[in-house]
Amino acid sequence: MMPLQSDKQPSIFLLFPFTILIFTLFLVSAVAQSGGKPHPWMNPSLSPDERASMVVKEMTLDEKVSLLHGTGMVGLSPMSPLAVHSNGGAGYVPAIPRLDIPAIQMSDAAYGVRSSGENGRYSTALPADVAGAASWDLDAGYEYGALIGRELRAQGYNMSLGGGINLTREPRNGRTFEYLGEDPVLAGKMVGSVMKGLQAQHVLGDIKHYALNDQESGRNAVNINIDKRAARESDLLAFEIGLQESDAAAVMCSYNRLNGDYACENKYLLTDLLKKDWKFKGFVLSDWGGTHSAEKASAAGLDHEQPGWIFYGDDFKKGVESGKIPVAELDDHVHRILRAMFATGVIDDPLQKSVVDVVGGLEVAQKIAEQSTVLLKNDHVQLPLDTSKIHSIAVIGPHADVGMISGGGSAQVDPPGGNAIMPPGKGQTRWLEKIWFPTSPLKSIRAKAPAANVQFDSGADPSAAAALAKAADVAIVFAYQWESEGMDLESLSLPEHQDELIAKVAAANPHTIVVIESGGPVTMPWVDQVSAVLEAWYAGSRGAEAVANVIFGDVNPSAKLPLTFPKSEADLPHPTVVQPPSESIPNYRLPDVWKQIAAGLTAFQVTYNEGVKVGYKWYDAEKKPVLFPFGYGLSYTTYSYSNLKVTTGKTPRVTFTVTNTGSRAGAEVAEVYASLPAAAAEPPKRLVGWSKVKLNAGESKAVTVDVDAKYLSIFNVEQNGWQLIPGDYAFMVGGSSQSLPLKESVNLK
Ligand code: BGC
């Protein structure tokens, strides 16, 4: 018979009295230590810096070092016995009860709390991060973060490991869904909002992966070569803006090397830029297994190692004792961690597990999914569907009867009940396995069109699907492309012969609507044959309901692409994703693979010679036509733009009018781009601001966008600063990067 309890895990009933004893001892010792009075740093009217400094003064060397590392993770480091007190998340830093410093319980939480099912809990899956960016709605970003923050706390976590912001420089990157698109201003502002929402819940936020970890292939070994100006104006600018906007508690340094040094021991990245230039007050933690030294990393500015203590435990302590690591450096690391804990309220507002608000979570997830679904094509007003005129609908596509796909890897949120395509009870989530959320397109369409005959075909046999489509008034094909951490896509084509399926269905029915579930751009060889296309991304727990609301017109789409859909991979800056040689790949079959990773794998080179030309800046500069441009998205109404005025000053101000010229209410993302004087030698244009404007039918609104001078500047490497090149600047305004009806040039000095 199977034992009910493993012999390693004492029964919870046995643990209960033990827990009470420990808690009582903790209270007695805390009060005894402080002479019966609360510690002076527990006074919330003091500044986080003052409070952190007071604690640092009281700490022993061992206590300080204990804050510098995690307690291990199977496969990535040895395990500490203290790990039993972890809440089951990716990282755990034990408490220091003597000083009233609580544990840090870290969980991945890119689009919801990770591994919730595994921990016997429930969490909401929001639409993927890239979808959040497609809303171009900073309030939605705040709600996104706040929801994650609430659910983290309910589940017993006080630190999030979300906040992915690597620019989509390589759209085949398997983590594109976890990031916020290809533009540094959009991504930076969005992550800033997400962090504000999250940290308002008293959760430590983190922005990652710093920096230029823009491909998964060979991520532990790759050396990214890029010139400083291009890096500052692209990927690093996204971090700069995100941190400026949000005061995030932490930054996670990435696995890769950058211009020679590992990101987690790269002095330029961690100290010169992050801590000195940007005045970042939080702490830097390494990606899991991304630490490669104690002395060098510490001097470079790495504050904390995860998941274990290969370097930041005994080695670090010895380094301090021998004087190789200055005490001031150690104290700075500790101060930063404590300061972040005081500043975000994780010390004043201790964790208490509670019940996740499932209904509230689903409402937020659906609302954001509705705001992030992009209408890419709508010929002959195919959408919204009018149920009074439609009597039969063919719903086609892999698993469209039961679920919608989600993004994999450490971002994976567990679906309730397990993977929707597996038999009940067998649906646990596994690394590098496609997970479908139980949000059924078929059911949600049936619910919207109860009088219509709605039939399903999986598309496994394209001819059978085409026959079903032929007999229906409209065909809706749900197509997917799955992405995950730990892999890159071979191409941007839909897998599993879905291109062939869509082409066949479209040939059989002229009213074919395609709904794409993807984490980034896909190619669409069939696009001219279908009448409508929606990009639903990985749409989260309530994806199907949101998509149905858009299809049937209960929601007027308002999202815009946060990244370009190219016509083909041949148009990308790099023909293929550079693959690592075998010596640069960790051997995960080795029981102590962590030793191999920690020691450092043989570097291989990837050179970003497209430089600052990321996404639309590349296609613009290279004059490559695209399938759907950055910033593009249709609505069921139409908008016009007029009255552009640009006033110059320290902060140029752009004002214009947007009018809803159609017959229904909507929200328009009004985008402002600038082109710099020729002397700046920049791509043709860059996004410098936007505003999402709600308009009733026929309504006009005046819009004002103040443009941060930095967004108009170039990075001058010699002067090590942002520089506005004097000359003529053209400001262009409109509804997509390729539809900018208003233009005015002004001279800026
Ligand atoms: C990922 C991080 C993640 C960490 C902890 C790493 O492999 O790159 O994004 O936060 O694991 O799960």
Side-chain angles (χ1 to χ4, degrees):
M1 205 178 77
M2 286 278 289
L4 288 177
Q5 296 278 340
S6 120
D7 53 4
K8 290 208 185 96
Q9 302 278 324
S11 146
I12 189 134
F13 300 107
L14 292 176
L15 275 176
F16 191 59
F18 181 67
T19 314
I20 290 179
L21 177 70
I22 294 287
F23 186 64
T24 314
L25 286 176
F26 159 76
L27 278 183
V28 169
S29 99
V31 174
Q33 292 292 337
S34 55
K37 286 197 222 125
H39 291 300
W41 53 84
M42 296 310 282
N43 174 0
S45 66
L46 298 173
S47 75
D49 275 313
E50 286 169 317
R51 300 173 77 182
S53 299
M54 287 172 159
V55 183
V56 173
K57 276 201 196 109
E58 292 294 319
M59 293 173 95
T60 65
L61 176 59
D62 284 327
E63 284 168 341
K64 288 178 184 174
V65 173
S66 78
L67 276 191
L68 302 187
H69 61 83
T71 55
M73 182 183 248
V74 177
L76 271 185
S77 82
M79 294 300 293
S80 153
L82 294 173
V84 292
H85 303 295
S86 156
N87 192 38
Y92 168 64
V93 184
I96 309 174
R98 180 180 85 84
L99 303 174
D100 277 350
I101 303 302
I104 306 180
Q105 300 278 4
M106 306 177 184
S107 174
D108 281 296
Y111 60 91
V113 184
R114 180 196 182 189
S115 300
S116 35
E118 232 171 68
N119 295 327
R121 305 285 298 201
Y122 167 88
S123 49
T124 307
L126 286 155
D129 308 73
V130 70
S135 75
W136 293 60
D137 185 328
L138 298 177
D139 295 335
Y142 186 95
E143 276 192 67
Y144 196 106
L147 175 87
I148 293 176
R150 285 196 297 275
E151 295 198 1
L152 278 166
R153 283 189 65 96
Q155 299 199 27
Y157 297 105
N158 55 9
M159 178 159 179
S160 154
L161 303 171
I165 198 188
N166 297 73
L167 288 196
T168 308
R169 187 178 274 282
E170 171 46 78
R172 288 161 296 200
N173 177 356
R175 299 185 87 169
T176 301
F177 74 96
E178 258 188 81
Y179 301 143
L180 300 173
E182 67 191 23
D183 183 81
V185 177
L186 176 62
K189 290 227 166 228
M190 264 292 166
V191 85
S193 275
V194 173
M195 287 298 124
K196 280 189 238 173
L198 183 94
Q199 295 199 157
Q201 309 305 313
H202 303 160
V203 168
L204 296 153
D206 124 271
I207 303 187
K208 70 187 185 184
H209 306 88
Y210 186 64
L212 286 126
N213 179 185
D214 296 347
Q215 69 172 56
E216 284 295 277
S217 307
R219 63 182 181 172
N220 297 95
V222 65
N223 180 42
I224 300 297
N225 301 286
I226 185 169
D227 74 72
K228 215 179 237 180
R229 172 171 166 183
R232 288 296 308 259
E233 292 182 12
S234 59
D235 301 55
L236 297 179
L237 179 57
F239 281 91
E240 183 170 355
I241 296 172
L243 291 168
Q244 224 168 34
E245 298 278 320
S246 72
D247 196 16
V251 165
M252 186 190 292
C253 50
S254 54
Y255 285 127
N256 54 293
R257 297 163 162 107
L258 177 64
N259 294 332
D261 276 330
Y262 278 112
C264 291
E265 52 186 39
N266 192 309
K267 182 172 165 294
Y268 168 70
L269 275 183
L270 307 186
T271 297
D272 301 349
L273 202 52
L274 182 64
K275 293 183 177 176
K276 289 204 175 140
D277 195 343
W278 300 343
K279 302 186 175 49
F280 173 64
K281 291 199 161 78
F283 66 101
V284 180
L285 79 164
S286 72
D287 201 342
W288 269 229
T291 308
H292 299 279
S293 58
E295 255 176 75
K296 180 176 177 185
S298 174
L302 177 69
D303 300 301
H304 184 95
E305 174 182 359
Q306 279 291 342
W309 65 102
I310 299 167
F311 301 103
Y312 271 46
D314 293 344
D315 274 12
F316 200 101
K317 187 177 167 189
K318 279 185 207 141
V320 175
E321 284 167 340
S322 67
K324 287 188 181 146
I325 298 176
V327 174
E329 206 172 277
L330 164 70
D331 285 355
D332 182 56
H333 300 318
V334 176
H335 182 99
R336 285 170 173 279
I337 295 162
L338 291 169
R339 184 206 173 272
M341 294 174 81
F342 283 118
T344 42
V346 307
I347 294 181
D348 296 331
D349 183 12
L351 274 176
Q352 206 174 3
K353 282 192 184 178
S354 61
V355 175
V356 170
D357 173 10
V358 178
V359 176
L362 291 174
E363 272 168 20
V364 174
Q366 180 168 333
K367 199 170 111 197
I368 296 179
E370 290 167 352
Q371 285 166 283
S372 63
T373 305
V374 191
L375 179 61
L376 293 175
K377 177 171 182 180
N378 195 18
D379 280 3
H380 314 297
V381 200
Q382 175 68 65
L383 291 173
L385 294 182
D386 180 349
T387 45
S388 68
K389 296 194 184 121
I390 286 174
H391 307 292
S392 55
I393 304 174
V395 175
I396 294 165
H399 312 301
D401 52 340
V402 290
M404 292 181 87
I405 193 86
S406 59
S410 59
Q412 183 72 58
V413 174
D414 289 340
N419 195 345
I421 64 167
M422 312 268 283
K426 294 223 167 110
Q428 65 264 63
T429 61
R430 291 198 193 86
W431 189 258
L432 286 185
E433 201 172 72
K434 301 182 183 97
I435 309 297
W436 297 76
F437 260 77
T439 174
S440 158
L442 178 64
K443 279 192 197 154
S444 65
I445 288 168
R446 282 196 172 135
K448 287 279 167 193
N453 177 16
V454 184
Q455 296 296 326
F456 169 71
D457 188 288
S458 75
D461 171 2
S463 304
L468 183 73
K470 200 176 173 68
D473 291 339
V474 290
I476 310 177
V477 185
F478 286 81
Y480 81 95
Q481 186 185 57
W482 178 69
E483 284 175 10
S484 172
E485 176 183 343
M487 58 168 237
D488 291 318
L489 297 171
E490 268 170 37
S491 83
L492 300 179
S493 307
L494 294 170
E496 286 194 53
H497 311 291
Q498 293 176 95
D499 283 337
E500 183 200 338
L501 169 68
I502 296 169
K504 276 217 160 125
V505 170
N509 189 323
H511 303 288
T512 294
I513 299 152
V514 179
V515 180
I516 305 284
E517 301 166 40
S518 72
V522 299
T523 47
M524 302 183 189
W526 35 260
V527 72
D528 293 335
Q529 293 156 256
V530 303
S531 53
V533 182
L534 278 170
E535 172 58 77
W537 315 104
Y538 302 146
S541 295
R542 273 283 177 88
E545 290 79 358
V547 167
N549 274 344
V550 173
I551 289 178
F552 290 92
D554 301 272
V555 166
N556 186 2
S558 62
K560 302 273 175 96
L561 292 178
L563 35 72
T564 309
F565 278 46
K567 280 185 181 288
S568 111
E569 289 89 11
D571 295 332
L572 299 176
H574 302 273
T576 52
V577 177
V578 180
Q579 292 302 310
S582 58
E583 63 274 19
S584 303
I585 304 172
N587 181 357
Y588 285 104
R589 279 192 298 266
L590 292 177
D592 49 7
V593 59
W594 54 271
K595 281 191 183 158
Q596 205 192 11
I597 298 174
L601 294 149
T602 311
F604 70 104
Q605 306 299 319
V606 168
T607 301
Y608 289 147
N609 44 18
E610 74 283 0
V612 73
K613 290 185 276 175
V614 178
Y616 64 94
K617 292 171 185 162
W618 166 260
Y619 303 102
D620 275 3
E622 303 293 315
K623 300 195 171 45
K624 287 180 191 287
V626 300
L627 182 58
F628 296 113
F630 174 79
Y632 169 85
L634 300 171
S635 159
Y636 295 151
T637 186
T638 46
Y639 303 97
S640 74
Y641 286 80
S642 56
N643 296 335
L644 174 63
K645 215 169 143 222
V646 182
T647 48
T648 56
K650 203 156 178 267
T651 308
R653 168 165 287 191
V654 181
T655 55
F656 53 93
T657 304
V658 188
T659 304
N660 181 342
T661 50
S663 55
R664 56 178 294 169
E668 167 73 335
V669 177
E671 302 163 34
V672 181
Y673 294 81
S675 67
L676 275 57
E682 286 287 312
K685 63 174 171 296
R686 48 165 80 167
L687 179 76
V688 294
W690 78 90
S691 175
K692 193 163 184 175
V693 198
K694 284 193 184 133
L695 292 162
N696 288 322
E699 193 185 4
S700 290
K701 268 188 193 160
V703 179
T704 300
V705 175
D706 288 325
V707 179
D708 189 324
K710 189 183 288 173
Y711 304 168
L712 296 166
S713 301
I714 65 152
F715 188 78
N716 183 318
V717 177
E718 284 76 49
Q719 294 171 9
N720 193 36
W722 293 98
Q723 184 191 9
L724 191 97
I725 303 289
D728 288 339
Y729 286 73
F731 286 87
M732 293 159 285
V733 179
S736 115
S737 65
Q738 287 192 10
S739 167
L740 298 165
L742 306 182
K743 182 172 176 175
E744 185 177 327
S745 290
V746 292
N747 193 272
L748 297 179
K749 293 184 192 71

